[in-house]
Amino acid sequence: MGRNNSDFHATTFVLGIDVDLKDVSRYALYANQGGLGLPDRDYYLQASFAAQKAAYQGYIEKLLALIGWPEPKANAAAVVAFETRIAEGSWTKAQQREIEKVYNPSQLAPWEISRRDSRGKPFYEEPGPTRWTA
């Protein structure tokens, strides 16, 4: 996850640093939704985009076949199903522009609970500079 901005690794959420939305004299760490290969959540959820969603699934299937991934058709369907679940929980473009909804400052303390990745390895070690684990 730590390399997703520099190496194009996709994740279900994206971290980034930008100017604080309500205090331009400082920077803030932002966590945003991610995980979708299609341009918008509507491509997964609205029937009017069924052709685009099917073409996307075919594209994933072709890529999986090209790299020799087992069962490319079934796995492409699983990828699209997973992204559809992410889309169901994603905000609309209009919701993402509502500053009062997206601006939720907090200290690091609430994040301390999830300091480890899915394998139990720490995202960073203390003390000293941040070091991402592979």
Side-chain angles (χ1 to χ4, degrees), residues 34-45:
L36 301 180
L38 291 171
D40 186 73
R41 69 188 293 270
D42 293 342
Y43 282 73
Y44 298 90
L45 306 177

Side-chain angles (χ1 to χ4, degrees), residues 72-119:
K73 186 175 185 108
N75 283 302
V79 168
V80 173
F82 177 69
E83 289 185 18
T84 300
R85 293 289 312 267
I86 293 171
E88 291 168 353
S90 297
W91 285 4
T92 65
K93 295 289 186 191
Q95 289 172 313
Q96 292 176 55
R97 290 189 298 266
E98 294 180 37
I99 299 300
E100 295 307 319
K101 282 189 175 183
V102 301
Y103 189 78
N104 299 292
S106 67
Q107 299 298 320
L108 185 60
W111 294 75
E112 292 295 313
I113 299 167
S114 58
R115 288 173 38 165
R116 297 187 174 273
D117 66 15
S118 61
R119 298 166 293 174

